[in-house]
């Protein structure tokens, strides 16, 4: 697949950072838990799973949870794993564009907004916490080519999925 990377404009990056801060009040993180990346990712996973089960916040309104939670999830990848936000262009798909979070050598990619949208529409199993734990642990991640932009979420499945 032919993929070209492009920088994210500063206005978009500010929006992502703002959305990440907006996400925290929606998550039910127990006050006794330390606010670690693992706790935040677990809370995002739990929120999305509950969403799929029909348990939605009473005051959800028109919030774009895929954008809000995706921003927070991506920030955890950046802070915990040293990944980077960037944009990509998929030349093999009519130059479609996406924003994602990428490993330093660009061997791995997560497109948090797209994945969360799929989950919240009920199409994808919620594997956010599982993927994060596998990436942090690291031993099950195969050696992949630099600049391959392998979509992590296409390859993380629960047993039996």
């Amino acid at each position: 697949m032919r993929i070209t990377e492009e920088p994210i404009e500063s206005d978009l990056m500010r929006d992502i950072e703002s959305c990440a801060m907006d996400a925290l009040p929606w998550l039910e993180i127990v006050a006794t838990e330390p606010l670690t990346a693992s706790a935040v990712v677990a809370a995002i996973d739990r929120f999305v799973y509950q969403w799929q089960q029909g348990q939605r916040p009473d005051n959800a309104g028109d919030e774009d949870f895929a954008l809000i939670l995706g921003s927070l999830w991506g920030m955890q990848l950046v802070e915990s794993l040293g990944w980077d936000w960037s944009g990509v262009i998929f030349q093999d798909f009519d130059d479609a564009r996406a924003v994602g979070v990428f490993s330093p050598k660009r061997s791995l990619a997560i497109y948090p907004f797209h994945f969360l949208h799929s989950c919240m529409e009920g199409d994808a199993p919620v594997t956010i916490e599982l993927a994060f734990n596998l990436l942090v642990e690291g031993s099950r991640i195969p050696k992949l080519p630099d600049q391959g932009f392998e979509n992590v979420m296409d390859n993380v499945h629960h047993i039996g999925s």
Side-chain angles (χ1 to χ4, degrees):
M1 182 181 320
R2 295 176 306 137
I3 299 174
T4 303
E5 186 174 358
E6 63 182 359
I8 293 179
E9 294 182 14
S10 58
D11 288 348
L12 177 56
M13 196 62 232
R14 278 193 296 278
D15 288 345
I16 289 170
E17 291 167 352
S18 176
C19 283
M21 294 305 296
D22 291 345
L24 286 172
W26 292 104
L27 303 176
E28 295 176 8
I29 298 176
V30 179
T32 58
E33 294 177 31
L35 192 59
T36 64
S38 293
V40 170
V41 170
I44 294 169
D45 191 276
R46 188 170 48 249
F47 181 97
V48 176
Y49 177 77
Q50 290 171 343
W51 181 280
Q52 285 184 338
Q53 303 307 307
Q55 300 171 23
R56 302 192 177 152
D58 293 335
N59 57 349
D62 293 330
E63 301 291 338
D64 185 348
F65 285 105
L67 177 62
I68 293 169
L69 296 173
S71 295
L72 183 59
W73 177 23
M75 296 305 288
Q76 303 318 299
L77 295 166
V78 168
E79 293 170 14
S80 296
L81 301 172
W83 286 28
D84 303 298
W85 284 100
S86 193
V88 290
I89 303 168
F90 298 96
Q91 282 104 7
D92 296 336
F93 294 95
D94 295 325
D95 290 341
R97 287 179 151 74
V99 172
V101 187
F102 306 100
S103 62
K105 293 185 178 181
R106 305 314 194 239
S107 58
L108 298 171
I110 291 181
Y111 302 96
F113 310 124
H114 174 35
F115 185 77
L116 281 166
H117 179 75
S118 294
C119 288
M120 297 179 101
E121 293 297 315
D123 299 329
V126 183
T127 54
I128 298 161
E129 183 178 18
L130 177 60
F132 182 79
N133 291 341
L134 288 169
L135 290 167
V136 168
E137 194 271 328
S139 71
R140 295 186 190 177
I141 308 300
K143 176 71 175 136
L144 297 165
D146 294 354
Q147 301 297 312
F149 296 94
E150 182 68 33
N151 188 342
V152 171
M153 302 314 291
D154 285 347
N155 299 298
V156 176
H157 309 281
H158 289 289
I159 294 174
S161 293

